[in-house]
Amino acid sequence: MIVCDLDQTLLRSDKEVSAHTLEVLERCRAAGIVIAVATARSESSAARVIRAVRPDVAITSGGAVVRYGDEIVAENLLGVDAANAMVARCLATEGVGYITYRTSLGYFVNREFDRNDVSWQDYENAQLADMNQKIEHNVQKFV
């Protein structure tokens, strides 16, 4: 098995996977080697890279979600009570900027962001959320 992190490992500085790297991974797969990616990124922010690499295993959200093919084989989620307490604490703390979280319903952010900013390029599916409303689903990742 080959397990690769994404940022500053599998991805170049332009946040892309080189054609050469994809070719090498395909040769490894053809030789029977299982390909896995492991990242602190959420599934949604890693989706573009996962589509390109086509790993057999995807470990996302710092290990909170593990997929084998299309099936989730392991999850370690943050419960709604803890997630809501964290949001309340962030909202009450001066200087907190963006609040983001990922649930089975999608990726949510507390305020608008520049979708043309390269640092947000993998968050195009982020939905603006009113953080004063209670989170009703367990959270895969909270930032």
Side-chain angles (χ1 to χ4, degrees):
M1 176 184 274
I2 296 173
V3 182
C4 296
D5 183 27
L6 300 185
D7 295 297
Q8 300 177 346
T9 305
L10 192 63
L11 297 177
R12 299 181 308 205
S13 60
D14 66 358
K15 303 293 186 188
E16 299 295 331
V17 182
S18 73
H20 174 73
T21 298
L22 291 173
E23 178 186 324
V24 169
L25 290 173
E26 277 305 311
R27 287 196 319 248
C28 292
R29 187 184 334 272
I33 299 171
V34 173
I35 305 299
V37 295
T39 182
R41 290 179 177 217
S42 67
E43 285 187 291
S44 54
S45 67
R48 180 181 57 83
V49 178
I50 289 171
R51 281 191 303 271
V53 174
R54 300 181 309 108
D56 303 293
V57 178
I59 305 162
T60 57
S61 295
V65 180
V66 180
R67 283 191 185 273
Y68 180 73
D70 291 331
E71 181 183 354
I72 293 177
V73 295
E75 280 187 306
N76 187 17
L77 305 179
L78 182 64
V80 295
D81 291 339
N84 284 307
M86 290 174 68
V87 168
R89 180 73 182 256
C90 288
L91 292 174
T93 302
E94 187 176 326
V96 170
Y98 288 102
I99 302 169
T100 65
Y101 63 89
R102 166 97 170 120
T103 71
S104 60
L105 299 179
Y107 191 80
F108 301 92
V109 62
N110 65 321
R111 62 184 188 188
E112 282 295 335
F113 58 91
D114 181 357
R115 293 183 186 272
N116 295 316
D117 181 340
V118 70
S119 63
W120 286 92
Q121 79 180 20
D122 289 320
Y123 300 90
E124 69 270 0
N125 295 324
Q127 302 170 52
L128 189 60
D130 178 355
M131 296 289 168
N132 291 304
Q133 299 295 315
K134 295 293 184 194
I135 298 170
E136 296 181 1
H137 293 84
N138 291 334
V139 172
Q140 295 172 351
K141 181 169 182 165
F142 184 93
V143 178

